[in-house]
């Protein structure tokens, strides 16, 4: 009986102390705020010379989301590291051009900063990683040289190559890097139609259908990936392009993908070159990429997850007046 009474007394004391502690030291409320930062990679080019404007300030830019002015919260230039995929088209009309790059790749890559990562991929029906993301320029150059010697009997699917390259960029070791695909192609793809392209021409897809242009574009915008392209057309390229234009119905049903559309939507640029200019143009493109502006903002309005939001970046009136006739390149939107 005494034992039971003793246990009852101890239990009462413990309960009273716990109640007192809760009363005397109320818990501090915790507030959780979901703050999304949208980064917009931006380049300002002279319409006449195509040279980049490199000395602009934060106040020189105006940024809009769905036509609503946003406050630019962060601003930098040549600060964030680059994660680049060099994506090589393996069609017959492009391979001769790649050989010249293979010989001078190491020199062109020296224009990168030490912390910039390079991945090397080549594609036909699907893409193959020849060198995973690395800061070792010699390894990247060796992979480029390998790509310059590769051949494929498969069809070349632009959209699939771009989709897989964007996916590879999501594996970057640096979560804050600026993601860029540098695409070397002649801009003449094969139409990804299961009916018109025999299995032997898309064997590496293992029975799957290639991603569409819509799917690839959506993925680029979701992953904030910029697409730039170095384009060189040969006589064989021109012949292939004429063949595609003769099939408008198939082009409408299965849009093959087109470098200028990808570049425009993601804020990239397309540079056409002659065979002997490839190394020089790649070095120039890397310099321009490094000197782009990174604008960051917090969206002023809450919107449903998955909604597409349009982005527009332009120069403030005083800045536009000071530097003259320019074009502002930035991605056209993103998905919440």
């Amino acid at each position: 009986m005494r034992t039971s009474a003793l246990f009852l007394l101890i239990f009462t004391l413990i309960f009273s102390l716990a109640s007192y502690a809760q009363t005397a030291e109320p818990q501090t409320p915790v507030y959780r705020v979901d703050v999304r930062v949208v980064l917009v990679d931006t380049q300002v080019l002279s319409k006449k010379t195509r040279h980049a404007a490199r000395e602009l300030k934060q106040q020189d830019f105006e940024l809009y989301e769905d036509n609503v002015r946003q406050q630019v919260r962060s601003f930098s230039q040549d600060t964030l590291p680059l994660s680049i995929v060099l994506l090589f088209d393996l069609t017959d009309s492009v391979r001769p051009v790649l050989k010249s790059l293979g010989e001078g790749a190491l020199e062109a890559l020296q224009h990168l900063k030490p912390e910039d990562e390079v991945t090397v991929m080549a594609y036909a029906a699907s893409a193959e990683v020849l060198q995973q993301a690395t800061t070792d320029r010699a390894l990247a150059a060796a992979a480029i040289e390998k790509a310059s010697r590769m051949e494929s009997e498969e069809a070349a699917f632009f959209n699939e190559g771009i989709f897989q390259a964007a996916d590879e960029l999501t594996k970057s070791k640096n979560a804050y890097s600026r993601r860029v695909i540098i695409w070397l192609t002649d801009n003449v793809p094969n139409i990804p139609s299961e009916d018109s392209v025999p299995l032997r021409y898309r064997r590496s897809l293992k029975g799957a259908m290639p991603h569409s242009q819509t799917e690839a574009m959506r993925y680029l915008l979701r992953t904030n990936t910029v697409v730039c392209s170095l384009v060189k057309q040969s006589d064989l390229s021109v012949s292939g392009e004429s063949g595609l234009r003769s099939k408008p119905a198939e082009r409408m049903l299965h849009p093959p993908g087109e470098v200028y559309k990808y570049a425009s939507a993601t804020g990239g640029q397309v540079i056409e070159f002659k065979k002997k200019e490839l190394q020089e143009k790649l070095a120039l493109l890397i310099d321009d990429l490094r000197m782009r502006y990174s604008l960051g903002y917090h969206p002023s309005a809450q919107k449903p997850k998955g909604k597409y939001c349009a982005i527009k970046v332009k120069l403030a009136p005083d800045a536009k007046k000071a530097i003259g006739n320019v074009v502002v390149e930035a991605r056209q939107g993103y998905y919440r």
Side-chain angles (χ1 to χ4, degrees), residues 66-134:
D66 290 338
N67 296 319
V68 177
R69 178 80 177 268
Q70 305 293 314
Q71 182 177 353
V72 179
R73 303 276 185 174
S74 64
F75 178 85
S76 65
Q77 183 184 26
D78 198 23
T79 300
L80 299 175
L82 288 167
S83 290
I84 294 175
V85 165
L86 288 170
L87 182 65
F88 297 101
D89 184 339
L90 292 182
T91 52
D92 293 339
S93 53
V94 178
R95 281 203 311 274
V97 182
L98 296 183
K99 292 181 181 179
S100 64
L101 179 61
E103 296 167 359
L106 186 57
E107 183 176 341
L109 294 177
Q110 300 307 318
H111 287 248
L112 293 168
K113 297 175 74 172
E115 62 269 29
D116 295 337
E117 296 178 336
V118 177
T119 300
V120 180
M121 301 178 71
Y123 75 95
S126 63
E128 177 184 355
V129 178
L130 305 180
Q131 174 59 57
Q132 294 182 328
T134 180

Side-chain angles (χ1 to χ4, degrees), residues 22-33:
Q22 291 177 2
T23 304
E25 300 181 11
Q27 293 183 352
T28 303
V30 177
Y31 299 96
R32 291 182 172 86
V33 181

